[in-house]
Amino acid sequence: MKKLVYFAALALVLAGTSCEKNDIGGTATEAMAGQWYVTVDGVDENGNLPDADYADFFGDGQFIINTYNTAANDPTKMFISDLGDPYIGFTARINTDQNTLTFATAGDVENTSGNSNARYKTVNITDGKILYGAAHQKNGSVCDSIVFYVSYPDDVFPAAYGFAKYRISGVRYSGLAEND
């Protein structure tokens, strides 16, 4: 009988502790991290299209980029990557302001793209911002938007085609096929 009471008590203790939930929490850059559907446009110094031909400059259409936390979980730093896009090709550590949802590199920084075909060894990302609820998905639902500018010190396309940099802009990925 003692063994039965002992096992019943042990079962209650184990059942009580196994139901506890630990609050894991998010990352320091959770507000800015995500997956985004974007397009690339060739723009002038003011961010304007010099000609309609520069919209979707590489004919890449929409593609996915990611913004994500660093291993240090520092709220002032994160990574941005186009996941090896064959035309634009960047992965870089950016400085962030979680309060204003803005980001940029500190000038020209190492392009750590894992794409062996990455054209450029350094990249400069400027004027990045995330705007909550400022865009619409294809199905009409409200979503967040992202916009920033990318340039490469040794890029020949801007000078050859009469623009200054690339504007990358788009919306937060919804995961719904109807928005792809």
Side-chain angles (χ1 to χ4, degrees):
M1 182 70 170
K2 278 185 172 180
K3 286 184 181 180
L4 183 60
V5 171
Y6 173 73
F7 284 120
L10 181 60
L12 284 173
V13 169
L14 290 176
T17 58
S18 67
C19 291
E20 286 182 26
K21 292 185 179 183
N22 295 328
D23 184 22
I24 296 172
T27 65
T29 58
E30 183 176 8
M32 296 177 71
Q35 193 170 38
W36 308 87
Y37 257 139
V38 297
T39 57
V40 176
D41 302 321
V43 297
D44 64 19
E45 283 297 333
N46 297 320
N48 300 314
L49 288 171
D51 186 302
D53 292 337
Y54 298 114
D56 190 13
F57 183 73
F58 293 108
D60 212 13
Q62 284 191 317
F63 62 96
I64 291 179
I65 66 167
N66 285 335
T67 53
Y68 52 95
N69 199 46
T70 65
N73 198 30
D74 180 349
T76 65
K77 304 264 188 257
M78 65 187 305
F79 284 102
I80 189 164
S81 176
D82 70 356
L83 309 173
D85 182 85
Y87 299 106
I88 196 84
F90 63 85
T91 298
R93 182 181 292 211
I94 52 178
N95 299 319
T96 64
D97 183 330
Q98 299 297 312
N99 295 319
T100 61
L101 302 175
T102 57
F103 60 91
T105 57
D108 294 338
V109 299
E110 181 183 5
N111 181 0
T112 60
S113 176
N115 181 358
S116 61
N117 296 325
R119 291 185 169 108
Y120 310 110
K121 301 299 178 206
T122 58
V123 61
N124 189 342
I125 297 173
T126 60
D127 302 313
K129 56 187 156 191
I130 294 171
L131 304 164
Y132 281 156
H136 290 87
Q137 297 283 354
K138 290 179 182 177
N139 69 0
S141 62
V142 175
C143 64
D144 303 335
S145 72
I146 189 170
V147 63
F148 58 98
Y149 298 92
V150 174
S151 60
Y152 304 92
D154 51 350
D155 186 1
V156 297
F157 286 114
Y161 291 95
F163 63 94
K165 55 191 171 184
Y166 304 99
R167 178 180 58 215
I168 299 180
S169 60
V171 298
R172 191 178 292 272
Y173 178 68
S174 72
L176 300 174
E178 63 195 46
N179 292 325
D180 290 348

